[in-house]
């Protein structure tokens, strides 16, 4: 097993040797490496290969004993949070700050957020405070509002359970899930909502809209539709059995010709995201007047949801109707596939990385959408993809190393990483 770490700052001072003995090779590409005498001895014993612009014996911006945390996902700070004085955190995702957390925030020496800060307006008024670095956006809500799920389902039980004179906030949207929801009762209780977007059934518009903030985007939902909120949806017999024949999908959806029987049962379909389907399904979709933000029609083979996909010349030559490759972490294209064949028969969607020869790169780019990186696997291209073209790391251009996405390699990207 190999390990590769790409980060702006790598702190090795608290390294535990036992955590890294299993790796046969450990490569670190970083701008700043922080070490002490103990960690230097461990790094020398283990199979580390480190490329750094600067190596420091300690971080002059931190006092000794500071705690550092790296969080991928959601991190919450509340008045009851237990935090050691001088703690530093790096959040890759969402930082939620509860009302009344001002004193807890003072205990942090550094907060780095790559994503979203969700906080009450009283906290937002303090921003930016010393030690806060944010690469993203801030969403503020009234201090006296209750914070709900980012994508909140408003059901028929909510009006019964909601207390009087209460406000509720959802960061992304609120959707009207049940035709039976009594918005008149919510109005009687003086319940208010605040969000960016609201999905309201047509029969509820008159009673529901006065309860929402006026700047919220309004989307009307047909009364007979079942609202499905999911990023990925495979429409098959089980899906139709679960959600019904009139669907409003907030997310992406996939219908294959193998599930034609399920498609024939649908009476109406709205997909707010991307709809991927086969040519054979298009007439039926037109018949029910299906609506979608974007459609991808695959005429031939569909390869999807794979960590590593390999495309060789024999496969693409045999696919007279073309190949669609989507939602794969890494796609490796054989170097003997002509560029003309790539342009004629291949479509690539939503893949993290596509490796190909320099001669194929133009053709691959022309058939790709939402692909993070296209190019070869040389060290130079890998470093450029991570740090950009102006980095000073020295690279042997004639030497080729394995891809960071190989089966036996763990791959970590972070702004701040602690060994």
């Amino acid at each position: 097993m190999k390990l590769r770490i790409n980060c702006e700052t790598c702190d090795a001072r608290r390294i535990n040797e036992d955590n890294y003995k299993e790796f046969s090779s450990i490569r670190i590409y970083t701008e700043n490496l922080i070490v002490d005498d103990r960690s230097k001895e461990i790094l020398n014993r283990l199979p580390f290969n480190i490329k750094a612009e600067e190596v420091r014996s300690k971080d002059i911006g931190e006092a000794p004993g500071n705690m550092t945390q790296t969080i991928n996902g959601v991190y919450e700070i509340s008045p009851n949070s237990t935090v050691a004085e001088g703690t530093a955190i790096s959040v890759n995702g969402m930082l939620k700050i509860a009302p009344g957390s001002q004193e807890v925030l003072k205990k942090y020496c550094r907060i780095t957020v790559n994503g979203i800060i969700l906080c009450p307006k009283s906290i937002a008024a303090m921003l930016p405070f010393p030690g806060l670095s944010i690469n993203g956006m801030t969403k503020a809500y009234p201090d006296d509002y209750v914070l709900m799920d980012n994508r909140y389902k408003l059901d028929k039980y909510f009006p019964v359970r909601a207390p009087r004179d209460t406000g509720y906030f959802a960061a992304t949207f609120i959707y009207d899930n049940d035709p039976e929801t009594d918005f008149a009762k919510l109005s009687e209780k003086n319940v208010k909502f605040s969000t960016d977007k609201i999905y309201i059934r047509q029969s509820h518009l008159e009673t529901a809209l006065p309860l929402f903030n006026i700047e919220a985007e309004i989307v009307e939902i047909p009364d007979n539709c079942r609202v499905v909120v999911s990023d990925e949806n495979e429409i098959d017999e089980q899906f139709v059995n679960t959600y019904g024949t009139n669907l409003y999908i907030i997310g992406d959806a996939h219908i294959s010709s193998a599930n034609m029987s399920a498609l024939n049962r649908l009476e109406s379909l709205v997909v707010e995201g991307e709809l991927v389907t086969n040519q054979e399904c298009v007439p039926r979709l037109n018949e029910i007047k299906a609506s979608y933000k974007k459609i991808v029609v695959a005429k031939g083979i569909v390869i999807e949801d794979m960590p590593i996909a390999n495309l060789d010349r024999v496969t693409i030559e045999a696919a007279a109707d073309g190949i669609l490759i989507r939602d794969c972490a890494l796609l490796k294209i054989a170097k003997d596939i002509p560029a003309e064949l790539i342009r004629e028969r291949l479509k690539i969607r939503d893949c993290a990385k596509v490796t190909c020869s320099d001669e194929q790169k133009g053709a691959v780019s022309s058939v790709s959408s939402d692909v993070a990186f296209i190019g070869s696997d040389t060290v130079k291209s890998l470093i450029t993809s991570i740090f950009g073209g102006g980095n000073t790391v020295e690279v042997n251009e004639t030497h080729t190393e394995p891809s960071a996405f190989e089966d036996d390699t763990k791959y970590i990207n972070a702004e701040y990483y602690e060994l």
Side-chain angles (χ1 to χ4, degrees), residues 182-200:
D182 189 350
F183 283 95
K185 190 174 186 67
L186 289 171
S187 179
E188 178 190 331
K189 288 186 171 185
N190 192 33
V191 171
K192 298 294 183 181
F193 299 98
S194 179
T195 189
D196 283 351
K197 194 174 187 178
I198 51 177
Y199 296 86
I200 299 292

Side-chain angles (χ1 to χ4, degrees), residues 232 234 254 302-308 325-329:
E232 298 292 337
E234 182 72 32
H254 178 219
V302 178
I303 301 172
E304 59 184 345
D305 296 321
M306 298 177 64
I308 300 176
I325 300 177
R326 65 190 298 266
D327 293 323
C328 294

Side-chain angles (χ1 to χ4, degrees), residues 5 15 20 26-28 42-44 46-50 419:
I5 301 168
I15 185 172
Y20 298 92
I26 306 168
R27 294 184 177 89
I28 299 178
I42 295 175
L43 294 175
N44 288 330
L46 294 175
F48 276 92
N49 186 340
I50 301 171
L419 290 175

Side-chain angles (χ1 to χ4, degrees), residues 88-134:
I89 60 171
S90 178
V91 180
N92 301 308
M94 177 180 287
L95 173 63
K96 289 184 177 181
I97 306 175
S101 301
Q102 286 89 336
E103 292 303 313
V104 176
L105 287 171
K106 292 177 182 179
K107 295 183 179 181
Y108 291 90
C109 70
R110 185 179 70 241
I111 299 177
T112 302
V113 181
N114 300 303
I116 298 173
I117 293 180
L118 184 60
C119 64
K121 291 182 178 180
S122 60
I123 300 290
M126 299 168 52
L127 304 181
F129 52 77
L132 173 66
S133 172
I134 178 169

Side-chain angles (χ1 to χ4, degrees), residues 217-255:
E217 180 184 351
I218 302 166
V219 181
E220 296 184 27
I221 304 294
D223 288 340
N224 64 338
C225 278
R226 178 71 176 272
V227 181
V228 181
V229 180
S230 179
D231 295 329
E232 298 292 337
N233 301 275
E234 182 72 32
I235 300 179
D236 53 18
E237 288 287 350
Q238 184 58 50
F239 193 89
V240 176
N241 290 341
T242 302
Y243 297 110
T245 57
N246 293 280
L247 302 173
Y248 195 107
I249 297 176
I250 303 175
D252 296 332
H254 178 219
I255 308 175

